[in-house]
């Protein structure tokens, strides 16, 4: 009886150990953090040091402008939905919607102009790669399905 119990315990531990080894060997690899658009663009276009400096300045200006628009947009959207608990006229809602739509338009135009400026600092060799770079960036700009969503804490 005692010998039989040892055999069962041995095989149980053997199966558990084999299972653990298989899990360690075949476990899915953690995803590497994707590089940001700035690094991807810079690498694909192979910018010179001067171009890299210009591009960095352009990116910071663009980011700051987008942050301001997003901050204003969040405020307007919040005000729009707060009207559910406040009894006001529908003209307020329409005005807020027009303002929100204008901000969305401003973001698109601002980003388009940003990429026009980017294109203007490219040389002939880089311009040949520019369409490919833009094709890679468009899903990020359009919030395409399948794009990972980055959730941020609300900070305003």
């Amino acid at each position: 009886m005692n010998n039989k119990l040892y055999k069962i315990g041995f095989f149980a531990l053997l199966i558990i150990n084999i299972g653990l080894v298989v899990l360690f060997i075949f476990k899915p690899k953690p995803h590497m953090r994707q590089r940001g658009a700035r690094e991807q663009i810079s690498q694909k276009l192979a910018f010179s040091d001067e171009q890299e400096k210009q591009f960095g300045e352009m990116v910071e200006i663009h980011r700051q402008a987008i942050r301001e628009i997003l901050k204003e947009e969040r405020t307007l959207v919040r005000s729009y939905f707060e009207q559910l608990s406040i009894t006001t006229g529908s003209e307020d809602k329409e005005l807020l919607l027009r303002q929100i739509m204008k901000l969305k338009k401003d973001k698109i135009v601002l980003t388009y102009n940003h990429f026009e400026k980017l294109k203007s600092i490219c040389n002939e060799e880089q311009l040949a790669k520019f369409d490919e770079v833009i094709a890679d960036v468009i899903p990020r700009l359009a919030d395409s399905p399948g794009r990972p969503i980055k959730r941020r804490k609300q900070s305003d």
Side-chain angles (χ1 to χ4, degrees):
M1 161 109 176
N2 209 7
N3 198 14
K4 191 174 189 180
L5 190 59
Y6 285 128
K7 284 182 184 180
I8 292 171
F10 171 77
F11 285 113
L13 289 174
L14 181 65
I15 290 171
I16 291 171
N17 283 334
I18 290 172
L20 287 173
V21 168
V22 167
L23 283 176
F24 282 120
I25 292 174
F26 296 112
K27 76 175 179 179
K29 308 240 183 313
H31 294 285
M32 299 288 274
R33 184 172 166 239
Q34 288 186 342
R35 292 178 317 190
R38 178 180 176 177
E39 290 81 17
Q40 285 181 341
I41 291 169
S42 183
Q43 182 184 22
K44 286 184 180 181
L45 294 177
F47 281 148
S48 68
D49 290 340
E50 179 60 31
Q51 287 173 315
E52 186 70 42
K53 183 180 174 193
Q54 286 179 302
F55 182 47
E57 291 169 359
M58 289 169 39
V59 166
E60 288 309 312
I61 291 168
H62 180 256
R63 282 182 182 164
Q64 185 59 38
I66 291 291
R67 276 188 207 112
E68 292 299 318
I69 291 173
L70 289 174
K71 183 177 178 182
E72 188 176 347
E73 184 180 16
R74 278 191 302 272
T75 303
L76 289 172
V77 169
R78 188 175 300 121
S79 296
Y80 180 79
F81 283 102
E82 283 174 352
Q83 290 189 9
L84 288 170
S85 62
I86 303 171
T87 54
T88 59
S90 64
E91 57 275 347
D92 290 339
K93 289 191 307 191
E94 291 302 316
L95 176 63
L96 286 169
L97 278 176
R98 281 195 299 276
Q99 290 173 330
I100 291 167
M101 291 171 62
K102 182 190 178 302
L103 290 174
K104 294 226 179 257
K105 175 186 170 196
D106 291 348
K107 281 193 304 189
I108 292 169
V109 169
L110 182 72
T111 302
Y112 184 89
N113 291 340
H114 172 71
F115 282 107
E116 275 189 331
K117 289 177 188 173
L118 173 63
K119 190 174 183 178
S120 73
I121 67 168
C122 292
N123 61 34
E124 291 297 320
E125 187 178 306
Q126 292 163 335
L127 285 173
K129 299 176 187 174
F130 188 79
D131 290 339
E132 179 186 328
V133 169
I134 291 300
D136 289 343
V137 172
I138 286 175
R140 291 177 186 218
L141 299 175
D143 287 330
S144 294
R147 175 182 173 223
I149 298 172
K150 186 189 274 186
R151 302 259 188 230
R152 283 196 231 167
K153 293 181 182 177
Q154 205 171 15
S155 61
D156 47 320

